[in-house]
Amino acid sequence: MEIEDLEIIDFLKSTLPLDSATPLQLKPLVKEIQIAYRKRGHVLAIKPDFLYLVRKGAVLIEDENEKLFSILSERQWFGYNTQLALYSHSCQEDTLYYRIPKKLFFNLFDDQSRVNHFFVDAGLEASIKAQNIIKQNSLLDNSVLSMSRANDVYTVDLKTSISQVATLMSDKRVTSVVITDNDVLCGIVTDRAFCTKVAAVGLDVSHPIGDIMTLNPIFIEHYKSGIEAMLLMAKSGIRHLPIVKNKQAIGIITAADLLRKQSHNVVFLINEVLVSNTIDELKKISKQVPLLLQHGFDANMDEHDITYSVSSVGRSINQQLLKQAEVLFGDPPIAYAWVVAGSLARSEQIAHSDQDNLLILSDEYDERLHGDYFSKLAQYVCDGLNACGYVFCPGDVMAINPKWRQSVAVWRSYFNQWISSPDPKALMYASIFFDLKCIYGTPELLKDLMTEVFTKTRQNTIFQSHMAHNAEHYKPPLGFFRNFILEDNGVNKKSLNLKKKGVVPIVDIARVYALSHGVRAVNTQGRLRELADVGGLSASGAKELIEAYKFINLVRIKHQSRQIKTNQSIDNLVPTIEISSLDQKHLKDAFSIVSNMQAAMSSQYQTSILL
Amino acid sequence: MKDLCIVIQRFFPKYYQKSLLKKPNLSKPLIDYLSTPLISQNTLIEEIEFLVLDFETTGLNASKEKIISIGYTVIKNLHLLASSSRHLLVNPKQLLKEENVSIHQLTDDNLQQGVSLQNAMDELFSVMRNRVVVVHFDKIEKNFINHACHHLYQINRLPMIMLDTLQIEARKMSRFQGYIQGDNLRLFTLRNKYNLPRYKAHNAMQDAIATAELFLAQVDYMGEVKSIKLHQV
């Protein structure tokens, strides 16, 4: 009987993130474990040198104002974040817990391991470790030198006059210069010095610059990373750092340079998209999209803001491809609207998904005259999207399909057909083609068409009933006894499908109510909010559904963010082992809300008469 | 005369320990053990190291049955140190009774690889030194230790401080309820009562850890742990 045969090891193996640890790592780990017990109500003394794990029971964490911060249950860790150690940790139940010396623990798992990342994710405060994550995947990993605007470093001798330096800085439009004494770096002058040390005290500008420079400035070696520069700036409260190689200033890096280089910044990505001229360039930028999601999650961004950012980049890639196509094939002969459908239309993309798009052409459309142009345009854009990771739609809902590249009149007849004879296929199309957004061309073509369509859907209660019935297809994965109904994710892990069984039912409910109340918003949360305003849903019902949507989506984003970090392919099947017990409880609550809402919808739209 | 001996053993443990040291053929670990005074009853429990012990035996009667395995773990600063946990197989030099095999999952073959009783006891003496022993239901461990000491060294009663988690609970129950039902004091039941996890395995080391966790829980329930002294437990 060896220590590794103990049940502790089974427990550790089934505790995140140690499920990824090797037996060789677990064996020494078990030996380091110390076990303690505190009864309910007792406050735990958190020692900074230890990592803690709840074995049984529950630990309540409250901040200095006694505001609830978190409740931890079995298999959850605490004490990893030193900032949180100051918070009060008390036993909410009788609690058996393990503690492990941090030094030994982290010696077993290197910086790159999932175990290490796990604790960084878990840390809610922006700790230095959290910044390491950004460092790995963004341009901040690059050396400071590559990030500075290279030709921006100006070096002057300390005897140069203040006025000469001022002229130079103004001419070259720089905010700082490096000062040397016999070619050796000795100081720095920033624009601020001209304010505080010259103008404010009325100093004669013929004085040498050495009089106002900051002596022996803090500098950074050329090979250091952007993140180190950022930390150094934060620590010292400065915004300019000379970059030094062999004691010579070879560049200067500013806080603004670093900000601009944060590749996960959505503004940065869209800017890059807007200046790209080829599909290849777009392809490179598009690779950053998953990081946008991951960093958004790491930075505790709101779920809505994350999906909105990801969708914005998707939209701008569409737009840029169309611009490129118009350059290649010439100006369009007639007005057209490039319309996207699905999650992109709803601004709910969380990663690269299939492309769904269509073309609405003005009624001047004549296939013999214009067919070739729009066929080529559609081909270019759809191919481009496919290359960028927005793969071809398996259902063929794309503008390269002639059926979905039609004049307003033809589209009108399509909609009339779906609304008046809602067979299963029509309903499937309806659920796709009621989430539309024109992102390029002449938006009025779509807008006017949809105004007609919405007038019809509002009046046609039979169509509404069919749509409602269709929206009951996917049910939340909650069993009779509030147990999860799990699916296999392919590697034998019991999982929850948080797209089909989680988000989709809510999206469908929101669409049905939007159609029947003439709500024109396309985003699910937007639809629910507007529905509450026009009385289509009760304010509290809409609010609950939004909260449920946000929570389910956040768990899904967390899952995908973890997959991105570990270079796995992204899916929507979240193994329950990844979900903390508290989150599982909240998920069940969220699913119950959705189930109740589906039931309410069934009775309201009398879907049972359709059976 | 016999009564006097018991009085000395009870009330003058130091003299008793010294008198035992005069016995012939004592092993080095036993001499070390007997040369170390027992922990004072006024020591704060926070400062005491506890050796939590569990024996698997072939039966209840110490004079007829044998120890087949010993599991133990150490509590220091009221933290169980997993690294201190050990499991020793003891070769009883006799065939096992069949019915026990299924409970302990130890077969004769396993036990043939075990250490001799003398070696096992020597290891026990060295880990018991300077520590308070904790067991669940002390009849087994106390009787088997004393019987082994008698058998090996003609010592009838080994000086030691042994706490029993079963008795701790029984005392507490009788204080609050006035009566005790036998089944309520089983290790499994008591662990449940203190919200401790359920263990599947049934072997000496796992049971020693289970007992140690129960002991930590009982101590925490006694009040402000920092001020509790040994005699209060």
Side-chain angles (χ1 to χ4, degrees), chain A residues 481-504:
Chain A
F481 296 106
R482 255 178 85 89
N483 51 321
F484 287 129
I485 299 170
L486 300 171
E487 294 174 32
D488 230 318
N489 71 352
V491 287
N492 272 327
K493 281 210 175 135
K494 295 293 174 203
S495 310
L496 288 168
N497 188 332
L498 288 190
K499 187 181 181 187
K500 275 189 184 154
K501 307 277 176 76
V503 178
V504 167

Side-chain angles (χ1 to χ4, degrees), chain B residues 80-91:
Chain B
L80 187 163
L81 307 177
S83 56
S84 67
S85 309
R86 291 278 181 282
H87 192 240
L88 287 175
L89 294 182
V90 183
N91 183 351

Side-chain angles (χ1 to χ4, degrees), chain A residues 478 482 548 583-594:
Chain A
L478 209 54
R482 255 178 85 89
D583 281 359
Q584 291 196 11
K585 192 171 161 285
H586 288 162
L587 262 186
K588 285 176 179 174
D589 291 342
F591 289 151
S592 301
I593 290 169
V594 180

